[in-house]
Amino acid sequence: MTVNQAAWVPKDVNVDLPSAARVYDYLLGGAHNFAADRAVGERVLQVLPHGRQVAISNRSFLRRAVRCLVEQGITQFLDLGSGIPTAGNVHEIAPSARVLYVDHDEVAVAHSELLLADDPDAIMLAADLTRPDAVLDAPVTREFLDFDQPIGLLMVAVMHFVPDESDPAGIVAAYRDTLPAGSFVALSHLTADHQPEAMDGVVEAMRNSRDPMYFRAYDDVAPMLAGLDLIDPGLVSAPSWRPDAGVREPGPEGVYAGVGRKPFE
């Protein structure tokens, strides 16, 4: 299908500067990416030939986590770094829930707004997730989400774009502390623990993009879920997080994933 760029590409977007959201879209087989994004995606695949499977595995974790939270009674979601809409968005997985998507990529925002224009239960907020106050105190956030009821916070494949000096664990904690008790946090994070050389190559491929990456070891990811009661099976490789019965989840190890619940006082 030919994509009409005029309908979804903001005029001020620098199409020559690769973006993580658009590279991820390319790896997932999407059409909302530019030549610069595809070039980076190909470099990623050169050093990590199964990169598409890793991306699919992470996307599959999102699907299973959302379904799990719906089963736990969650009816509203805050999806941080939601990226470019592809098949299997949160509002499609949980059609009876309210979903607030958040991203700062102009293409992700523009296309999401088009996609969600006629859906009163799913909206897009253009904001930087590394500024929790800008997200949590935004009028649309307070109007759309009910902070007297549990919320499902999704931080799927986003924190590995946050450098250490920005205190990624502190950012997660700021959101966690604002959520009402009984809320859940679902988080996934790329790691080089299992394939250090290949993952170092991915970091190098993304170095000159607008979103450089910072892969972390298990002991650096685990603190991001501090203060939460992890549900089984804890923080594990993404394909091992509650795989569907009889379904072999795609993708080798490379992503840690976990879901935790904010305890009641």
Side-chain angles (χ1 to χ4, degrees), residues 72-84:
Q72 295 294 322
I74 296 298
T75 60
Q76 51 182 350
F77 290 88
L78 175 58
D79 186 0
L80 300 177
S82 52
I84 294 173

Side-chain angles (χ1 to χ4, degrees), residues 30-43:
H32 295 87
N33 48 73
F34 307 125
D37 308 304
R38 294 189 287 274
V40 170
E42 286 301 318
R43 289 201 294 274

